[in-house]
Amino acid sequence: MIIEIDEGSGFCFGVTTAIEKAEEMLKNGQQLSCLGDIVHNGMECERLRKMGLKTIDQQEFQELHDKAVLLRAHGEPPSTYESARQNNITIVDATCPVVLALQKRIKKRYEELKNDGEKSNKADIVIFGKNGHAEVLGLVGQTEGEAIVIEHFDDVEKLDFTHDIYLYSQTTKSLEEFHRIIDYCQAHMAPGATFQSFDTICRQVANRMPNICQFATKHDLILFVSGRKSSNGKVLYSACKEKNHNTYLIEGPEEINSEWLKDITSVGICGATSTPKWLMEQCKEKIEKYEKDNNSN
């Protein structure tokens, strides 16, 4: 049986940097908490927990004083930094540079619009993203909570096209769907209203879509390894499933069903930007063990 791990799968740059920062501090014996899961993968979070990383939520963060807290790649709103300042918390900022640049762009636009008293039209900052997602909360926070979030193409109908619209995207959203939203907005803007869109989708993530679709066609069976909370994982898994119906979403090797492997000559293993390479390797080893045991019987 041929078993191939997709070379393009695994942690993106932002996640890798966040984990390396955490590992460096923990190996030096420093105490460190992370605000939210450092990555949407339960097994990687558990590995780091065993090294000493404590995961805290917003309520725990508000009650913390005089400690070090890591901000993960998704980024945080300004209110988080203000709370840290008030409680003497040392911020270890692992916000992805792509997300950080997007936050700054949105904040700058918001302040320009707020200070421009001469505009006759109302103006809306619109973010194509997942409501409640950590990155989106950080982006909306740059606008003092005023940005409008649309999750899907169908939500675009809710916008007021008599307003000026400035459209941005969460960095991990679908490029194709974003362009559909742009086309719809351009076709429905009222006379005299301004529309501007800003392609803020991370290319390291966006480029995985065509690559992973091609990978999915190469094998009889595809195992897509991802935490079920991963937004990026859901998008890429759906793309794989569309190209190869014999695709299964698993969180780890223990979820591999031996029935899937019967009469299969080729298995492809791939994953999300939040999937560690070591976990995909474990899945490969589980299949190799199955094949070895099956051949010995």
Side-chain angles (χ1 to χ4, degrees):
M1 185 187 295
I2 297 169
I3 309 167
E4 182 186 7
I5 295 176
D6 175 34
E7 289 184 2
S9 291
F11 291 152
C12 63
F13 170 78
V15 172
T16 299
T17 302
I19 289 172
E20 286 176 350
K21 284 187 177 185
E23 287 176 331
E24 183 180 352
M25 292 186 69
L26 296 169
K27 285 174 183 176
N28 289 333
Q30 295 173 265
Q31 287 190 338
L32 182 64
S33 297
C34 181
L35 184 52
D37 290 338
I38 192 168
V39 63
H40 289 151
N41 186 279
M43 293 188 178
E44 180 66 4
C45 288
E46 177 62 16
R47 182 185 74 85
L48 291 167
R49 187 193 67 78
K50 288 177 179 176
M51 290 182 66
L53 182 66
K54 183 180 180 183
T55 301
I56 59 174
D57 59 23
Q58 270 291 345
Q59 183 177 342
E60 291 170 302
F61 177 73
Q62 297 298 330
E63 297 167 357
L64 209 60
H65 291 79
D66 309 312
K67 300 290 185 181
V69 175
L70 182 138
L71 303 185
R72 56 203 176 157
H74 299 305
E76 286 289 327
S79 57
T80 297
Y81 293 87
E82 178 58 24
S83 295
R85 187 189 65 78
Q86 292 176 2
N87 294 342
N88 196 36
I89 291 171
T90 301
I91 291 292
V92 182
D93 202 338
T95 304
C96 171
V98 178
V99 174
L100 194 60
L102 174 54
Q103 286 184 349
K104 289 178 179 177
R105 289 180 71 174
I106 290 176
K107 183 178 179 67
K108 182 181 178 185
R109 174 67 64 181
Y110 175 71
E111 289 177 346
E112 288 172 350
L113 293 173
K114 190 168 66 170
N115 295 328
D116 188 355
E118 296 181 7
K119 289 188 75 69
S120 56
N121 281 354
K122 287 187 176 180
D124 295 328
I125 290 177
V126 179
I127 297 168
F128 172 44
K130 182 180 178 183
N131 267 306
H133 188 280
E135 181 188 329
V136 174
L137 291 175
L139 298 177
V140 173
Q142 309 304 317
T143 70
E144 300 178 5
E146 292 185 16
I148 298 169
V149 178
I150 56 173
E151 289 203 21
H152 307 289
F153 172 75
D154 292 343
D155 295 334
V156 74
E157 297 176 1
K158 302 172 186 176
L159 298 179
D160 188 337
F161 295 107
T162 66
H163 293 188
D164 293 344
I165 292 176
Y166 299 89
L167 176 68
Y168 300 83
S169 175
Q170 179 182 343
T171 60
T172 54
K173 293 295 280 184
S174 161
L175 192 59
E176 182 183 356
E177 192 169 9
F178 185 57
H179 284 153
R180 286 181 68 204
I181 291 169
I182 291 171
D183 291 344
Y184 187 96
C185 289
Q186 288 175 332
H188 288 80
M189 294 301 295
T194 298
F195 172 73
Q196 290 185 30
S197 62
F198 307 90
D199 184 351
T200 53
I201 293 172
C202 175
R203 284 304 181 268
Q204 191 182 8
V205 175
N207 290 341
R208 292 195 180 192
M209 182 68 77
N211 293 342
I212 215 163
C213 286
Q214 185 180 11
F215 180 80
T217 63
K218 291 168 57 179
H219 298 282
D220 300 331
L221 169 70
I222 294 293
L223 297 180
F224 190 88
V225 188
S226 172
R228 289 184 170 84
K229 288 195 291 183
S230 170
S231 179
N232 165 256
K234 290 174 186 174
V235 172
L236 291 177
Y237 165 69
S238 296
C240 281
K241 186 80 173 174
E242 192 174 319
K243 292 294 181 182
N244 186 333
H245 294 304
N246 202 21
T247 296
Y248 296 91
L249 174 65
I250 60 173
E251 291 204 337
E254 70 284 348
E255 293 187 15
I256 298 174
N257 187 335
S258 59
E259 290 296 315
W260 300 342
L261 303 171
K262 289 183 177 178
D263 303 319
I264 294 294
T265 59
S266 172
V267 179
I269 302 172
C270 52
T273 57
S274 54
T275 305
K277 273 287 200 297
W278 62 261
L279 190 55
M280 288 184 278
E281 290 286 355
Q282 284 187 357
C283 292
K284 181 179 180 182
E285 290 166 8
K286 177 76 178 283
I287 298 169
E288 289 172 338
K289 185 179 184 304
Y290 162 82
E291 188 180 24
K292 183 179 177 181
D293 293 346
N294 198 46
N295 289 338
S296 63
N297 291 336

